Amino acid sequence: MKQSVVSLGCNFAELWQENMKEWDGTISNRMTDDGCEEAFWQSFLEKKKKQGESYINSYAPKIQQELLALLQPDDRVAEIGPGWGNYTFSTAKHVRYLTCIDSSKSVITFLKEEGNRKQLNNMSFIHEKWEGLAPPQPYDVVFGINCYYRVQDIQDALIKMNNTASRLAIAGMTSGPEKPHYLDLHHEKGYEIKFRRRDYIHLQNILYQLGIMANCKIIELPTTAIYDTYEELIKANSSKILTNHYSTKDIEQALTPYVTQNEGKYEYSYTFHAVLLYWKPVKLFEEIVPS
């Protein structure tokens, strides 16, 4: 473990690891069991295949637009944890060469098939965890968006991004705040809410502690969730409540200011965010080896 340049009163890499736990102190199997994670992706991607082109998240194009503004046509790029390709194929069309690195065999297979279908011949694939990958070849740009949820040694993962990129490293995450009715329930009714335990600010603080001054681009993502029935609306918007015994009436009252009806359906409009942390790679201090 490298020593921090700046302490900030705590070790944010250790805090990241601690916050991999759920609010009840447990760690989900997906965090620690590679077989469980692979089973998730195999099932998840089978559903995505049935969606056709609509498998790309509705908010992804806004993030992609900001990402492409940081890339150059002659770049050789590595993408960490591409998942189902929210940013993969648009990136491949924009740059000279793209290498996708993912720990899931199902993900690699899905991306290969989609890349072939889209007739993209500038893509390659590495089936491996980023944190377990031997020092990879240098790339002009290394980026990863929403791919850090299973990474325990986040500091070393970010260091590897810094050391592998020659021009730019980019770490992205979607961020909050939570839907506003959850905030109202928490502040006005005292409800316990399953707020996110890790966010981009942890990554930025880890980078800062390493001596990396990352730029921070915050992207607004207005969205509207649509529910076919009132029961679906209530169920979907109660899922983050941790309080054991809660009142459905409280949920209904909290939702009222934010939900409208349109052609028999219920629409909930709110804004969350994405964040791109990006930096020109720097020479980091040498690791301090105990005598």
Side-chain angles (χ1 to χ4, degrees):
M1 177 74 72
K2 290 180 180 289
Q3 300 290 321
S4 296
V5 172
V6 182
S7 70
L8 294 179
C10 74
N11 186 315
F12 277 90
E14 291 180 357
L15 181 61
W16 174 276
Q17 190 173 53
E18 175 64 22
N19 284 351
M20 292 182 76
K21 297 177 181 177
E22 300 292 340
W23 281 99
D24 62 1
T26 63
I27 297 180
S28 73
N29 289 337
R30 282 187 62 197
M31 296 297 102
T32 57
D33 185 331
D34 290 347
C36 182
E37 178 72 355
E38 181 62 38
F40 165 83
W41 281 109
Q42 184 175 9
S43 174
F44 182 85
L45 291 171
E46 284 300 321
K47 297 175 184 176
K48 287 289 185 184
K49 288 177 183 179
K50 297 176 183 178
Q51 296 178 12
E53 287 295 331
S54 66
Y55 65 78
I56 299 296
N57 286 113
S58 60
Y59 60 78
K62 288 197 71 172
I63 302 173
Q64 183 72 65
Q65 180 180 358
E66 299 294 342
L67 174 64
L68 293 183
L70 298 172
L71 304 179
Q72 298 176 2
D74 202 41
D75 279 336
R76 297 178 65 88
V77 179
E79 181 182 10
I80 306 165
W84 58 98
N86 268 332
Y87 314 102
T88 304
F89 307 113
S90 294
T91 297
K93 292 175 183 178
H94 186 80
V95 302
R96 178 183 175 191
Y97 201 80
L98 176 66
T99 299
C100 298
I101 304 165
D102 202 283
S103 63
S104 167
K105 183 178 180 180
S106 298
V107 165
I108 294 296
T109 299
F110 177 84
L111 295 178
K112 282 183 178 179
E113 291 174 353
E114 284 296 292
N116 288 335
R117 189 175 68 82
K118 296 176 185 293
Q119 297 183 322
L120 294 169
N121 58 9
N122 64 335
M123 297 176 64
S124 64
F125 304 88
I126 298 176
H127 177 208
E128 181 61 85
K129 290 183 180 179
W130 173 253
E131 57 269 35
L133 189 64
Q137 68 181 60
Y139 294 89
D140 299 301
V141 179
V142 176
F143 82 91
I145 299 175
N146 283 343
C147 62
Y148 308 100
Y149 59 96
R150 296 187 77 226
V151 179
Q152 295 196 35
D153 198 337
I154 188 64
Q155 181 171 271
D156 276 3
L158 292 171
I159 289 172
K160 186 178 289 186
M161 290 180 68
N162 178 83
N163 293 346
T164 305
S166 61
R167 190 178 70 78
L168 203 64
I170 307 167
M173 289 183 73
T174 47
S175 183
E178 298 292 348
K179 291 178 180 177
H181 81 283
Y182 282 126
L183 299 176
D184 293 345
L185 287 168
H186 178 66
H187 293 297
E188 297 174 11
K189 299 290 185 178
Y191 278 34
E192 294 181 50
I193 304 298
K194 190 178 181 180
F195 293 114
R196 66 183 68 229
R197 291 175 60 82
R198 293 175 294 170
D199 210 332
Y200 81 92
I201 197 64
H202 295 92
L203 296 181
Q204 186 155 41
N205 283 335
I206 294 166
L207 290 168
Y208 181 65
Q209 288 188 313
L210 289 169
I212 295 172
M213 303 296 291
N215 298 284
C216 179
K217 176 67 177 181
I218 297 178
I219 307 161
E220 286 193 350
L221 300 173
T223 190
T224 298
I226 301 175
Y227 307 94
D228 292 329
T229 66
Y230 188 74
E231 291 73 20
E232 182 184 349
L233 167 72
I234 299 301
K235 181 179 180 181
N237 289 288
S238 304
S239 62
K240 288 183 175 289
I241 297 175
L242 293 173
T243 300
N244 288 328
H245 303 289
Y246 61 84
S247 165
T248 301
K249 184 177 180 180
D250 286 344
I251 311 303
E252 292 173 338
Q253 290 177 343
L255 285 169
T256 297
Y258 308 108
V259 175
T260 59
Q261 283 187 268
N262 183 18
E263 297 182 352
K265 298 186 178 183
Y266 297 86
E267 298 185 353
Y268 186 166
S269 297
Y270 60 98
T271 296
F272 65 108
H273 298 79
V275 178
L276 297 180
L277 303 173
Y278 58 99
W279 68 97
K280 182 178 179 180
V282 300
K283 181 175 175 56
L284 299 175
F285 51 90
E286 295 297 323
E287 185 172 1
I288 300 176
V289 180
S291 58

